[in-house]
Amino acid sequence: MDERKVTTSAVAHVSQKKSVFVEVPFVPFGTANSMQAGLVASSSAHPRAFPAIVVGGLIVGAVDLLYAIAVYSPRHPILIPQTIASGILGAKSYSEGTYSSALGIVLQFVIALGAATVYYLASRRLKFLVSHAVPSGLTYGALVYLFMHIVVLPLSAVPKGDTPFVYMAFEFVEHWFCVGLPIALSVH
């Protein structure tokens, strides 16, 4: 007789000492019902889009903003969101006070949520982004940094200035761990 067709009966004890027979399919060790395996795989390999994107985006937005404040302007933290807003407003961002600061914070989170969305969508086609989340996330952080510095910043209205190489190097590595990795792990 084929092992896959064999079933076992189990007795389940219910309240008030009543017994109920439950048919339990026999599954040989090392095999699994393909439907069950598919459900398990789909629930763990494909997290829901909204929570994955929002969690990753919010973590990245906050951590990246705090990093920039701590490194570039710890005594005048309002300058960091104003610098972000200067991408749209230009140099006048620094004279707009809390308005430009609030705009900069909103833009920071829009960018972070956008980066999380791109990773999530890519992970639906490129399965290794989920199965190898750590190296993929670190690589994605580097790609986000390069995209921001090669494409976005040159096209923005941010006042041009020279950033010392040491700051650029640390920011590049910061993007690995504080941008790419949290996004990849939230999607994982």
Side-chain angles (χ1 to χ4, degrees), residues 75-156:
R75 293 187 181 169
H76 304 287
I78 195 171
L79 292 175
I80 298 304
Q82 286 177 330
T83 300
I84 297 167
S86 74
I88 293 175
L89 302 175
K92 85 173 193 174
S93 174
Y94 298 104
S95 62
E96 296 291 323
T98 55
Y99 163 74
S100 63
S101 182
L103 176 62
I105 291 170
V106 168
L107 292 173
Q108 170 71 11
F109 284 95
V110 166
I111 293 166
L113 290 165
T117 301
V118 167
Y119 190 91
Y120 179 85
L121 293 174
S123 74
R124 301 307 89 190
R125 293 267 186 210
L126 306 172
K127 301 302 180 195
F128 69 88
L129 295 177
V130 175
S131 62
H132 294 64
V134 173
S136 297
L138 296 173
T139 303
Y140 186 66
L143 293 173
V144 169
Y145 175 88
L146 293 172
F147 182 77
M148 291 298 295
H149 287 267
I150 294 172
V151 177
V152 175
L153 291 176
L155 295 174
S156 75

Side-chain angles (χ1 to χ4, degrees), residues 9 15 24-25 30-31 42 47 65 68 73 79 82 105 115 135 138 154 185:
S9 294
S15 64
V24 180
T31 64
S42 67
L65 184 62
S73 188
L79 292 175
Q82 286 177 330
I105 291 170
L138 296 173
L185 294 177

